[in-house]
């Protein structure tokens, strides 16, 4: 993720040392979040009306069953906010428009 000029890990007999030259925790956190499948699912449903399930699985290197499991897991968390993701040939988020807009602004 980073070049050796930005972040370098040294392992020797004295121990392990991480040399940081300008990498922030925010940069690392953003990278980890955007590489997570749950984040990708939420981002897709919040920015698009309907997401093609086949195309999403193909572009993110995941199976349809894994996608469904992740959506079930996400839905268990989203249910307390009053909306959920439906999944078939396409997947989309359903719920009160005002709540979705508020969640979208906080999410991004």
């Amino acid at each position: 993720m980073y070049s050796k000029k930005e972040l370098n890990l040294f392992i020797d007999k004295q121990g392990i040392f991480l040399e940081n030259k300008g990498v922030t925790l925010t940069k690392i956190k953003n990278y980890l979040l955007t590489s997570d499948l749950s984040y990708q699912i939420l981002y897709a449903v919040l920015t698009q009306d309907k997401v093609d399930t086949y195309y999403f699985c193909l572009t993110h290197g995941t199976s349809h069953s894994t996608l469904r499991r992740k959506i079930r897991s996400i839905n268990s968390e989203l249910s307390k906010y009053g909306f959920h993701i439906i999944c078939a040939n396409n997947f989309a988020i359903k719920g009160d428009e005002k709540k979705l807009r508020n969640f979208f602004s906080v999410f991004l």
Side-chain angles (χ1 to χ4, degrees):
M1 178 175 157
Y2 298 102
S3 69
K4 288 190 176 191
K5 293 177 184 175
E6 294 177 305
L7 196 65
N8 204 0
L9 183 68
F10 298 101
I11 302 172
D12 59 22
K13 293 179 181 180
Q14 295 175 343
I16 300 172
F17 303 97
L18 184 64
E19 182 181 41
N20 183 350
K21 296 179 181 175
V23 175
T24 65
L25 183 58
T26 303
K27 199 172 181 182
I28 294 171
K29 180 191 70 149
N30 288 340
Y31 172 77
L32 292 174
L33 283 177
T34 56
S35 65
D36 182 55
L37 185 60
S38 297
Y39 174 88
Q40 296 297 329
I41 293 168
L42 280 171
Y43 184 81
V45 297
L46 290 171
T47 58
Q48 303 171 40
D49 272 342
K50 290 183 181 178
V51 181
D52 182 86
T53 302
Y54 174 77
Y55 181 73
F56 183 88
C57 289
L58 188 66
T59 57
H60 290 86
T62 190
S63 68
H64 193 258
S65 60
T66 300
L67 177 64
R68 283 183 176 273
R69 276 194 305 276
K70 275 289 189 186
I71 288 175
R72 264 195 308 273
S73 173
I74 293 169
N75 278 339
S76 68
E77 295 298 318
L78 291 180
S79 65
K80 53 186 140 187
Y81 300 108
F83 42 90
H84 63 280
I85 300 171
I86 57 167
C87 183
N89 291 336
N90 296 306
F91 61 97
I93 194 162
K94 299 293 180 187
D96 180 58
E97 186 68 27
K98 188 185 285 185
K99 288 180 181 179
L100 282 172
R101 288 178 188 262
N102 288 336
F103 180 78
F104 180 67
S105 65
V106 169
F107 176 77
L108 290 181

